[in-house]
Amino acid sequence: MGLLLHALVTPADVQDRDGGILVLSSLFGQFPFLKKLFADSAYAGPVFHDGLANVMPNLTIEIVRRSDRAKGFIVLPKRWIVERTIGWLGRCRRLAKDWENLNHSALAFLRLASIRLMLRKLCNPS
């Protein structure tokens, strides 16, 4: 469905792969049923792979890569779910710009937007 399970707001100087390890380490076993993680090529490499093995050893990672021969826009499997969810959350005016001064308030508004999205998906299943 593309619903938000967990989020973490970091400063802009934190790399995506480092932030990914922070998110996964802050789960504290809330989602033991997770088996596979789909990630883009920014998460490829030994730094993220070793960090993931330390934090969640039972979770396997699959890097979704774009073909080198592809030209123009190509829909990548599983990647569109993330992009679609970001698009849905981007419809909330409060998340369209970085209005918040504190990371805690930005995270609170992200959670509110996610709750709104979840309620709309559950109440209108069509």
Side-chain angles (χ1 to χ4, degrees):
M1 281 183 97
L3 299 176
L4 185 69
L5 294 178
H6 187 67
L8 180 69
V9 177
T10 61
D13 63 347
V14 176
Q15 294 291 326
D16 286 346
R17 65 179 172 270
D18 299 333
I21 295 296
L22 289 172
V23 167
L24 292 173
S25 65
S26 64
L27 287 177
F28 296 119
Q30 291 178 5
F31 305 104
F33 54 85
L34 294 178
K35 302 287 183 208
K36 187 178 251 188
L37 174 70
F38 293 98
D40 64 1
S41 59
Y43 297 94
V47 174
F48 185 75
H49 187 61
D50 294 341
L52 182 65
N54 290 336
V55 174
M56 298 182 86
N58 296 333
L59 189 65
T60 60
I61 184 169
E62 182 179 325
I63 303 295
V64 179
R65 297 185 191 274
R66 184 172 186 236
S67 174
D68 294 335
R69 294 176 286 183
K71 292 184 180 180
F73 176 76
I74 301 293
V75 177
L76 298 175
K78 303 296 180 185
R79 174 83 186 256
W80 66 272
I81 297 171
V82 175
E83 300 297 334
R84 178 191 66 188
T85 304
I86 291 171
W88 285 339
L89 291 173
R91 290 181 182 170
C92 297
R93 288 182 56 208
R94 192 73 185 232
L95 299 178
K97 301 279 185 203
D98 293 327
W99 296 109
E100 309 308 322
N101 290 328
L102 301 174
N103 288 349
H104 287 75
S105 58
L107 183 59
F109 282 107
L110 177 63
R111 287 182 178 155
L112 285 172
S114 177
I115 290 168
R116 177 180 169 262
L117 176 64
M118 184 179 3
L119 286 174
R120 294 183 92 195
K121 295 293 173 193
L122 292 174
C123 293
N124 298 326
S126 58

